Amino acid sequence: MDKKYTIKDIAQMAGVSKGTVDRVLHNRGKVSPAALEKINEVLNVIDYEPNLIARNLKSTKVYRICVLLPDPVFDPYWLPCVNGIQDAITEYKAYNVIIETHYFNPESTKSFLKVHETIITQSPDAVLLAPLFHKETVEIIKQYDELGIMVNTFNNQVESSSIKSFVGQDLYKSGRVAASLMNLILPKGQIAIIHIDESLKNAVHMQEKERGFRSYFEEKNLPDFSVTTLKLKYSNIETKLPAFINENPDLSGIFITTSKAYQIASTLFNLTDKKIALIGYDLIDKNVSFLNQGLVHFLIHQNQKRQAYLGVSTLVEHFLFRKDIPETILLPIDIINVENASFYVS
Amino acid sequence: MDKKYTIKDIAQMAGVSKGTVDRVLHNRGKVSPAALEKINEVLNVIDYEPNLIARNLKSTKVYRICVLLPDPVFDPYWLPCVNGIQDAITEYKAYNVIIETHYFNPESTKSFLKVHETIITQSPDAVLLAPLFHKETVEIIKQYDELGIMVNTFNNQVESSSIKSFVGQDLYKSGRVAASLMNLILPKGQIAIIHIDESLKNAVHMQEKERGFRSYFEEKNLPDFSVTTLKLKYSNIETKLPAFINENPDLSGIFITTSKAYQIASTLFNLTDKKIALIGYDLIDKNVSFLNQGLVHFLIHQNQKRQAYLGVSTLVEHFLFRKDIPETILLPIDIINVENASFYVS
DNA sequence: AAAAAAAGTGTGTTCGAGCACATTTTTTGT
DNA sequence: ACAAAAAATGTGCTCGAACACACTTTTTTT
């Protein structure tokens, strides 16, 4: 029934040579109408699937995929991505694929553009990038487009018609998930949404989460809750956070929209008199440590490792196996507490 | 640097023929000490990785893998497994692998053994099975062992020295996760652990979850809570559950250790006066529906689809790529509420 | 020392797709 | 009608591992 047919089989059945079958399969022309019909007849009856192993053995073409990633030295948030990419390298090492990671400084658009230039000189077949900077991203994607280089993005969703594919998470929904958990922890009180980030590069990111978070409380129409937004930087947490807490004695929960929950937790740790529920993002070591100490209640797992892995692997499989690249892959919003955290840290 | 060396390359470098290199690589003997040393010298310098594509192209051996699975007709719990296996079939269809699913009636050890007989006649290279029945499982695994058929298990952990590998979840920990969530929902009160199952085949399964659940509350030493266990069957829920609720007016939470939370939820739905928190297992349609209605607070996702997929794929990759089969693969304990459920249903 | 056996080594084919090139057939131009 | 050009078709090699088999060298036996 499900016998595997080869080009040779088809040639035999149609009474032609495998060269002719090959020309039909690849629309290479130079085939007489008579031969074309005979072969098509056979193709309509059986269902032919080319042997991908044989194809990839023959092909000498080496595919080059470059990843444009913030240097984890500047922000450990990106560390899991390196592992995800490493997984992809291991998985596809048998094939003619070169996967290269190029780091840039997440605080510097210049660095971003400079690394982009380096990548251009490599003339890769595809690029996976974390589009931290909106304007610059649109710009460089235009360049890749002109050069016929395929582009995939992950982590940040950038609205641009030239971006065809994205791997990430629904940030709005993740904000809602955080809200639903906060609603469970707290019976009432004031909740602060805190955005901590050195630059504004994550602005959209954080706003989407805030929007989702607020939408939940607005929808549920809970009069016992109030939601406030606060923007902080690493340098001013130590002063501004205690001040904010003093000014808002009702404050009972904080939702941190970035991976910097540990910064809030360590500051709160010193203000021993307060019991405030914390919900943040990402299973970086410091966050997990505070989770285990009970100072952070929940973390939402953005699974950067898998994001990066999928970002690369969809590209690789596109080249090797002609698979379609999905427009958007949205990873599940994993809810992490102290009891299940160990299964997610990688 | 990371040039890919072929057998031919090695032969050239060592000054011998590829046949001799091949004999060394496969320990096939018939190699002079002199040649052996020359080749080993080369192998020590470079790092040779055989091209798996070429290897699999050549090999005409067809691997047959049988899956022994409860028929989803009897219990929709098993439906996702079918999809997971289908994914594996699609993924490996290019290779010489046949993956066959054989269903048995989960209520009948006879059916289990009969399907096992059918599988034996197929003389597969490996079997993946859901070891529902302890005694019978140990028995048939002995048979497979004698026939040199590799065995992998999933879903249920069976303690037997002859089982080498298992894909599943840490049930004890999943009970703890459920407890931690219950502790969050409820300030105090009585909690019932309800085991619903037609037969006792899941006894160990359910007990592990109970043990984990209780351990959490014992550890935290929460005097405001009490935990009771209740065993039900589908046929007596309608009578026994309302009776139990009447006898226990303090009852404020129920933890259902099987995928049958929907049966409790639909019964509670009719007892409108009570507000009881429900936590159960598995994203089957009826459970998700009650989750969306707000009658079930949390579901723990056991990810059967991925369990089945991994169960098959580790076997396939063992044969095709000589990968090791991990002794145990424990999937993460996913916490699902109404806000993130949509990302997990498949 | 010659014959026989054993040990060691090299060659050539296979798997299936892809493509270059050689060969055959058909069409066009004179 | 015949050569030349164009179109159609077939042949054969490649990729790398695996293995059968043929061949050569060394060792053992008589």
Side-chain angles (χ1 to χ4, degrees), chain A residues 328-339:
Chain A
T328 34
I329 298 178
L330 291 180
L331 295 186
I333 298 162
D334 294 322
I335 298 172
I336 313 297
N337 73 3
V338 67
E339 294 296 334

Side-chain angles (χ1 to χ4, degrees), chain A residues 9 35 37 46 65 99 107-108 113 116 160 178 317 330 344:
Chain A
D9 292 331
E37 207 197 333
I46 67 163
I65 291 170
I99 300 166
E107 307 300 334
S108 150
L113 291 171
H116 158 68
S160 160
E317 304 231 324
L330 291 180
Y344 292 90

Side-chain angles (χ1 to χ4, degrees), chain B residues 172-322:
Chain B
Y172 175 84
K173 290 249 177 87
S174 84
R176 284 188 62 96
V177 170
S180 70
L181 295 171
M182 194 64 94
N183 184 24
L184 211 61
I185 303 172
L186 303 175
K188 60 176 180 167
Q190 188 187 356
I191 299 164
I193 300 172
I194 299 190
H195 303 305
I196 311 178
D197 213 66
E198 302 318 302
S199 61
L200 279 171
K201 62 175 193 291
N202 280 328
V204 188
H205 221 112
M206 300 184 296
Q207 274 163 29
E208 275 299 290
K209 289 171 180 172
E210 171 168 358
R211 225 166 48 78
F213 193 88
R214 285 183 176 276
S215 84
Y216 180 90
F217 281 101
E218 281 158 19
E219 200 175 274
K220 300 275 162 173
N221 202 13
L222 300 161
D224 292 340
F225 286 100
S226 72
V227 179
T228 326
T229 302
L230 180 63
K231 280 180 193 167
L232 294 178
K233 287 195 172 199
Y234 177 63
S235 51
N236 63 21
I237 288 179
E238 293 286 341
T239 54
K240 287 209 173 171
L241 184 59
F244 181 82
I245 290 172
N246 274 337
E247 288 163 24
N248 299 275
D250 263 4
L251 185 72
S252 38
I254 298 177
F255 170 48
I256 302 108
T257 56
T258 63
S259 61
K260 307 290 192 291
Y262 61 91
Q263 292 178 357
I264 300 293
S266 66
T267 305
L268 281 183
F269 185 63
N270 300 323
L271 309 169
T272 39
D273 50 330
K274 271 281 176 184
K275 176 80 184 142
I276 294 174
L278 292 189
I279 295 179
Y281 281 86
D282 301 316
L283 299 182
I284 58 179
D285 289 349
K286 288 178 189 166
N287 281 346
V288 173
S289 160
F290 281 113
L291 190 71
N292 288 329
Q293 287 175 54
L295 286 162
V296 169
H297 281 69
F298 281 105
L299 288 172
I300 288 171
H301 184 31
Q302 303 197 81
N303 214 342
Q304 302 92 331
K305 181 179 174 182
R306 190 156 176 78
Q307 283 187 28
Y309 172 80
L310 286 173
V312 173
S313 70
T314 51
L315 288 171
V316 173
E317 304 232 323
H318 170 75
F319 291 124
L320 294 182
F321 309 130
R322 324 247 164 129

Side-chain angles (χ1 to χ4, degrees), chain A residues 96-140:
Chain A
N96 292 323
V97 183
I98 296 173
I99 300 166
E100 279 172 353
T101 312
H102 298 260
Y103 295 121
F104 65 93
N105 177 345
E107 307 300 334
S108 150
T109 56
K110 257 188 202 151
S111 160
F112 183 68
L113 291 171
K114 197 180 147 208
V115 176
H116 158 68
E117 290 300 330
T118 317
I119 289 178
I120 289 278
T121 64
Q122 306 263 329
S123 55
D125 297 279
V127 173
L128 171 69
L129 54 89
L132 284 203
F133 312 107
H134 185 275
K135 206 185 88 199
E136 286 77 7
T137 299
V138 173
E139 208 168 287
I140 73 172

Side-chain angles (χ1 to χ4, degrees), chain A residues 4 49 51-54 56-57 93-96 170 173 176-177 180-181 184-185 216 298 330-335 337 339-340 343-344, chain B residues 4 49 51-54 56-57 93-96 170 173 176-177 180-181 184-185 216 298 330-335 337 339-340 343-344:
Chain A
K4 278 179 198 154
E49 290 270 357
N51 184 324
L52 302 175
I53 305 167
N56 281 304
L57 176 61
K93 70 160 179 281
Y95 298 90
N96 292 323
D170 187 325
K173 290 249 178 87
R176 284 188 63 97
V177 170
S180 71
L181 296 170
L184 212 62
I185 303 172
Y216 181 90
F298 282 105
L330 291 180
L331 295 186
I333 298 162
D334 294 322
I335 298 172
N337 73 3
E339 294 296 334
N340 71 344
F343 295 99
Y344 292 90
Chain B
K4 278 178 197 154
E49 290 271 357
N51 184 324
L52 302 176
I53 305 168
N56 281 304
L57 176 62
K93 71 159 179 279
Y95 298 90
N96 292 324
D170 187 325
K173 290 249 177 87
R176 284 188 62 96
V177 170
S180 70
L181 295 171
L184 211 61
I185 303 172
Y216 180 90
F298 281 105
L330 291 181
L331 296 187
I333 298 163
D334 294 320
I335 299 172
N337 73 3
E339 295 296 334
N340 71 343
F343 296 100
Y344 293 89

